[in-house]
Amino acid sequence: MKPGTLAIHGCTPPRADEPYAPSAPALEMAASFHYRRAADMTAVANGEMEGFVYQRYGNPTAAALQRQAALLEGGESALACSSGMAALNIALLAALRDRPASILTANVLFGETFQLLRLLEQQDVATRYADPCDPEAFEAALQAADTGCILVETVSNPLVRVTPMDAICAIAKRHGVPVVADATFTTPILSRPLEAGADIVMHSATKYLAGHGDVLGGLVICRAVHADWMQELGRHLGPNLGPFHSFLTIRGIKTLPLRMEEHSRNALRVARMLEAHPRVGAVHYPGLASHPDQAVADRLFDRGPDGDTLYGGMVGFEILDADEAAVFRFANALRLAVRATSLGDVHSIMTHPATTTHRNIGAGRRAQLGIGDNLVRLSVGIEDPEDIAADLAQALEQV
Ligand SMILES: Cc1ncc(COP(=O)(O)O)c(C=O)c1O
């Protein structure tokens, strides 16, 4: 079945032993489950009988979300976590089992991911950086030292570079190194990294998957070989997503295919409008012919119903000759797009990476990475595209 169908039917498969099935998963808020017979509880705890014992070991609503996520990504097992960062932590720990304590990752990453890697470094997990958009250089970096796992984002934040996941996974396979993919920006509607050869995929479900600005959550989906260890980490480290947020995420995923088509369509229109605007310099969007990764996106990303590639909803752009104060004037003048650090919601969100998501990495590193003070990140929502474009145009007049 196609992702658009799995998103809707994946969490509530009809049960053979019941004459009816609910149209939505049950919201089971219980922290623990009471057993009539003590032996049954032991059997469930030992994995000899299906069931639930205690919410940290799993609950029915999160289990429905995990089923939906595993189906969508084509994975064997999924774990719903309380945030994207919790999911990333679990994904890395799962990938590094019995491996050298060393991660090779992309030189441009979500700011908080740099922080997680810094914390791991304090636990003697070494990190090395290379450019995954240059597979030869990435392979050279891989060969330069022992590597426990590779971590890449399907689309990087905030410059919207597209990782050639197929090429990176082929290199990883040659060297026997597992790949963790952060697929937050693309979602399983644009691409499914496990199909390209990745081993573990994770999402901040806070973003497109839940999609409505009311959930903090994460998901890890993996191949069979990592499944037992990932689930064990989930049981004992306690990263689980609670039932209510699992319920909201399931509900969000049901409309994910429609939303991703609309985000992509709107973002392309907005990117074209920005590219033609006299106050805008570079525009970073893989749907534009000027973007260095358009061909990679066309190769890797799914197409929408009209046959056009879905490039996603994230656009970066640079306001010409703007310093921080000028960008803030632009930000404050926005009437429709909200000023916030999140992304992937139904509403448009403007973020200034230099003072928010990437402020902790320092000005020197930002400059090296091409994240200037004049760079704006826009998560294009699904409002009417003419209203979004008009809002941006009037705010650019205030710069
Ligand atoms: C690419 C990416 N990965 C991970 C995260 C972390 O997700 P969360 O905020 O849900 O912990 C984010 C959050 O913005 C993100 O953009």
Side-chain angles (χ1 to χ4, degrees), residues 16-37:
D17 56 342
E18 281 184 342
Y20 58 86
S23 60
L27 176 54
E28 296 266 15
M29 296 296 285
S32 68
F33 297 79
H34 301 177
Y35 279 75
R36 267 188 283 279
R37 286 168 15 95

Side-chain angles (χ1 to χ4, degrees), residues 7-14 20-26 64 68 247 250-251 254:
I8 292 170
H9 292 280
C11 65
T12 47
Y20 58 86
S23 60
Q68 188 187 32
F247 181 91
I250 289 171
R251 190 183 165 95
K254 288 187 180 189

Side-chain angles (χ1 to χ4, degrees), residues 5-304:
T5 309
L6 294 173
I8 292 170
H9 292 280
C11 65
T12 47
R15 286 182 45 167
D17 56 342
E18 281 184 342
Y20 58 86
S23 60
L27 176 54
E28 296 266 15
M29 296 296 285
S32 68
F33 297 79
H34 301 177
Y35 279 75
R36 267 188 283 279
R37 286 168 15 95
D40 285 347
M41 184 161 63
T42 308
V44 171
N46 288 341
E48 295 147 12
M49 192 173 123
E50 274 197 25
F52 298 92
V53 170
Y54 185 63
Q55 201 184 110
R56 179 161 38 74
Y57 299 147
N59 78 80
T61 318
L65 169 60
Q66 289 166 181
R67 197 161 44 235
Q68 188 187 32
L71 275 172
L72 271 172
E73 288 289 2
E76 180 69 22
S77 181
L79 184 69
C81 298
S82 56
S83 69
M85 294 316 294
L88 181 57
N89 190 21
I90 294 289
L92 291 173
L93 292 178
L96 287 174
R97 189 189 190 192
D98 298 331
R99 302 278 313 156
S102 153
I103 300 170
L104 176 65
T105 188
N107 39 16
V108 185
L109 290 166
F110 169 53
E112 197 69 26
T113 300
F114 283 119
Q115 299 301 322
L116 173 61
L117 295 173
R118 183 177 59 80
L119 296 182
L120 289 176
E121 272 168 24
Q122 286 176 12
Q123 294 166 50
D124 295 325
V125 179
T127 310
R128 287 173 295 120
Y129 298 92
D131 181 3
C133 294
D134 180 350
E136 270 180 35
F138 203 80
E139 183 161 26
L142 186 70
Q143 286 170 302
D146 272 355
T147 304
C149 76
I150 288 170
L151 167 65
V152 283
E153 294 171 350
T154 50
V155 167
S156 77
N157 184 354
L159 292 173
V160 207
R161 294 296 309 264
V162 182
T163 298
M165 196 59 69
D166 47 357
I168 295 300
C169 291
I171 291 167
K173 201 168 188 153
R174 271 205 294 283
H175 298 275
V177 177
V179 174
V180 175
D182 180 338
T184 299
F185 276 31
T186 42
T187 82
I189 305 309
L190 267 62
S191 72
R192 291 154 301 281
L194 299 183
E195 284 176 6
D199 299 84
I200 302 179
V201 56
M202 58 72 47
H203 295 270
S204 167
T206 316
K207 316 301 179 201
Y208 291 106
L209 300 190
H212 294 74
D214 49 15
V215 168
L216 186 77
L219 278 158
V220 195
I221 304 104
C222 67
R223 296 180 184 281
V225 66
H226 300 286
D228 288 349
W229 185 237
M230 178 187 74
Q231 293 298 347
E232 194 164 341
L233 291 168
R235 279 195 291 278
H236 304 307
L237 296 185
N240 314 47
L241 187 64
F244 186 51
H245 282 179
S246 297
F247 181 91
L248 289 175
T249 307
I250 289 171
R251 190 183 165 95
I253 288 175
K254 288 187 180 189
T255 56
L256 181 66
L258 280 178
R259 286 187 284 110
M260 288 313 290
E261 282 164 23
E262 201 61 15
H263 282 297
S264 299
R265 229 189 327 266
N266 279 0
L268 185 58
R269 276 181 78 162
V270 165
R272 284 185 178 144
M273 167 269 183
L274 288 168
E275 204 173 35
H277 198 285
R279 300 212 169 154
V280 173
V283 180
H284 307 271
Y285 186 65
L288 296 177
S290 57
H291 193 279
D293 305 325
Q294 191 184 39
V296 179
D298 285 338
R299 184 173 83 233
L300 295 181
F301 294 172
D302 282 10
R303 288 165 197 280

